[in-house]
Amino acid sequence: MKYLISFFLFCCTLISPIANAEQAHYISDNLFTYLLKGPGNQYRIVGSVNAGSPVTVLETNKNYSHITDDRGRSGWVESKFLSTDVALKERLPVLEAELTTVKAQLAEALTSNNAQNSELNKTLVQRNSQINQFETRNNQLQNELTIAQDEVRTLRAKIDTQKDDLLMRWFTYGGLVAGAGLLFGLLLPHITPRRRKRTNGWA
């Protein structure tokens, strides 16, 4: 059992440098670090690595990592200066390309939006014009209706007046006829001659 544990730990020790070597590392942005001959400050400096430079981690020893940089140099740096995040100088062109794409899409969207707004404004102007025409026509019809109602009231008043005049005329005619008949009835006995009574020989 002890041999199995020992063998497992040995395998992990071997696999760890390989895994570290496969994953890309970068010197952290906004700094540069010295490249040392060995894993410690007591070793002499053999160069420096600029911020954002891609490096390959070969092995680690406590707080130091054995690396090779993009120029093929080998040395040790403090592990805290390493990062798995893509360096800013490598991300910058991608971000600029994305920014250009986003700006183009935004400009296209604004153009499309302006075109749609222009079309909507035209439609709105047309609708407002139609509404104004409808309102003007409605006002005209209201005025015509008011005039027609006034004319109807005037005609009705005239008709009522004519009815009253006609009724009074008929009453007048009826009164005249009745009066003439009465007068004629009174005068008729006086106009017609009276017949004389015949006298015969009988006493």
Side-chain angles (χ1 to χ4, degrees), residues 104-162:
Q105 292 175 350
L106 179 60
E108 183 179 357
L110 289 175
T111 302
S112 176
N113 187 46
N114 290 334
Q116 291 178 356
N117 286 338
S118 177
E119 189 66 25
L120 289 175
N121 288 332
K122 289 181 181 179
T123 304
L124 182 60
V125 170
Q126 293 176 354
R127 294 293 183 271
N128 288 335
S129 177
Q130 291 176 352
I131 290 172
N132 291 332
Q133 292 176 359
F134 289 149
E135 289 179 349
T136 302
R137 181 58 180 165
N138 182 56
N139 291 333
Q140 292 176 352
L141 292 175
Q142 289 290 342
N143 292 332
E144 292 176 1
L145 178 62
T146 302
I147 293 171
Q149 288 175 345
D150 292 339
E151 291 179 353
V152 168
R153 283 193 291 269
T154 302
L155 291 175
R156 285 179 178 175
K158 287 183 178 180
I159 291 172
D160 292 338
T161 302
Q162 289 178 355

Side-chain angles (χ1 to χ4, degrees), residues 1-193:
M1 187 67 180
K2 292 182 179 180
Y3 293 108
L4 288 175
I5 295 174
S6 299
F7 178 74
F8 179 74
L9 293 175
F10 178 73
C11 290
C12 290
T13 305
L14 293 176
I15 291 172
S16 179
I18 295 174
N20 289 332
E22 289 178 351
Q23 187 175 12
H25 289 76
Y26 301 88
I27 299 299
S28 299
D29 293 321
N30 302 324
L31 61 86
F32 77 95
T33 185
Y34 292 111
L35 191 62
L36 304 174
K37 184 68 176 177
N41 289 329
Q42 68 273 19
Y43 293 93
R44 67 184 180 86
I45 298 172
V46 294
S48 62
V49 186
N50 292 326
S53 298
V55 296
T56 302
V57 177
L58 302 176
E59 60 177 312
T60 57
N61 186 342
K62 295 183 179 179
N63 296 327
Y64 287 85
S65 296
H66 189 197
I67 64 166
T68 56
D69 63 6
D70 54 346
R71 293 189 287 175
R73 297 178 303 170
S74 177
W76 293 79
V77 296
E78 290 188 63
S79 299
K80 66 180 180 180
F81 295 143
L82 296 176
S83 173
T84 56
D85 295 332
V86 179
L88 181 61
K89 69 177 183 179
E90 292 191 9
R91 284 183 290 167
L92 186 59
V94 177
L95 293 175
E96 289 178 345
E98 291 179 354
L99 181 60
T100 302
T101 302
V102 170
K103 284 183 177 180
Q105 292 175 350
L106 179 60
E108 183 179 357
L110 289 175
T111 302
S112 176
N113 187 46
N114 290 334
Q116 291 178 356
N117 286 338
S118 177
E119 189 66 25
L120 289 175
N121 288 332
K122 289 181 181 179
T123 304
L124 182 60
V125 170
Q126 293 176 354
R127 294 293 183 271
N128 288 335
S129 177
Q130 291 176 352
I131 290 172
N132 291 332
Q133 292 176 359
F134 289 149
E135 289 179 349
T136 302
R137 181 58 180 165
N138 182 56
N139 291 333
Q140 292 176 352
L141 292 175
Q142 289 290 342
N143 292 332
E144 292 176 1
L145 178 62
T146 302
I147 293 171
Q149 288 175 345
D150 292 339
E151 291 179 353
V152 168
R153 283 193 291 269
T154 302
L155 291 175
R156 285 179 178 175
K158 287 183 178 180
I159 291 172
D160 292 338
T161 302
Q162 289 178 355
K163 285 182 179 180
D164 293 339
D165 292 342
L166 183 61
L167 186 62
M168 289 300 296
R169 189 177 299 172
W170 280 109
F171 279 139
T172 302
Y173 289 160
L176 290 175
V177 170
L182 180 61
L183 182 62
F184 183 74
L186 292 174
L187 294 177
L188 184 60
H190 300 284
I191 294 174
T192 56

